[in-house]
Amino acid sequence: MRCDSHVHVVAPVTEHPQIEGRTFVAEAAPLEALAKLGATCGIDHFVITQPSFYGTDNTVLLQSLKKLGGRGRGVVVIDPYRDATLIKEWRSEGVAGLRANIYSPAASAVGHGSDDLRALTALADDAGLHVEIISPIERLLEHADFIIDSGVTTVIDHYALYGDIRPDSRSGQKLLTLLSLPHVWMKLSSPYRHASTPMNTEPDREWLEAFLAVAPGRCVWGSDWPHPPPHDAHGGPNVTVPWRPLSYRRLFDDFARAVGDQDSLGRILWGNPAKLYGFVASTTKH
């Protein structure tokens, strides 16, 4: 068994609306297409993450979890001052985490308080969920002391969006110290989310090795399918922008080759996500 720990599922806009505050119109990305791509890499479990253009409307995500059954988990976006009562109900449907978005251009339109890390962390702690943060490294590190003190399971998206920062820099070392804590996890996803390499499918070897050195049991892999377009390509709320034309298989193969060691790859693709998301090996396919 293998898990893709960061994907998005998108309905056609004719079937489900996207929020008014969106910065582009997203094309459809059906669960069925994702499942076929995953199968080519032996992936049969998926963690669906709420995209910014759906705001706090998690309907498509929850419908997808129902289709996946025990093979799916979700990371939702909520307004912590309005939606708190829904969390425990959603947990029984496969929701595992709450997403804090302090990165996307549409973040301010996602919902009041969706970037309020303290409020989301308190709710996650009460409901037995984790917090997932999408943020550039420098903004993330502004919250490092709070994350350290909270003790709540915290998952950092997309290699911490390190940009031009290197592991041996002051910020890089601070991030690695944060990741060394037993409640902090890293998603090894989206090696292409950098302005200078928007189509890159190979992970940065230096960062990959650094993350695996400090947290071999707390790193998971994600494709970020269907590969959101760069922010500078967003054409406005009425402009449909295509996904990045990347190969899922190449993204997976390049990552597997960079990791190299099969035992490490097995932990990243199954052992670690099974622990984080509560998957069990006996789960049957649908």
Side-chain angles (χ1 to χ4, degrees), residues 197-218:
T197 55
M199 295 297 290
N200 182 46
T201 57
E202 297 183 9
D204 182 291
R205 298 294 182 101
E206 190 177 2
W207 270 114
L208 179 63
E209 291 175 4
F211 290 147
L212 292 179
V214 299
R218 285 174 284 105

Side-chain angles (χ1 to χ4, degrees), residues 149-171:
D149 293 340
S150 77
V152 175
T153 300
T154 301
V155 182
I156 301 169
D157 275 351
H158 307 325
Y159 295 94
L161 296 170
Y162 52 79
D164 295 328
I165 292 173
R166 305 312 304 160
D168 60 356
S169 68
R170 182 175 180 179
S171 294

Side-chain angles (χ1 to χ4, degrees), residues 130-148:
H130 68 259
V131 175
E132 179 172 313
I133 306 173
I134 179 169
S135 170
I137 184 172
E138 295 290 16
R139 292 196 65 190
L140 172 70
L141 292 176
E142 293 173 4
H143 302 278
D145 289 342
F146 170 73
I147 295 170
I148 291 168

Side-chain angles (χ1 to χ4, degrees), residues 24 103 192 194-195 198-199 227-235 241-244:
F24 73 106
Y103 165 70
Y192 46 78
H194 303 283
M199 295 297 290
H227 319 303
H231 289 164
D232 60 8
H234 295 192
V241 180
W243 306 112
R244 298 185 210 216

Side-chain angles (χ1 to χ4, degrees), residues 69-84:
R71 296 183 297 115
R73 295 290 186 269
V75 179
V76 298
V77 171
I78 67 163
D79 180 336
Y81 313 113
R82 185 193 67 198
D83 301 331

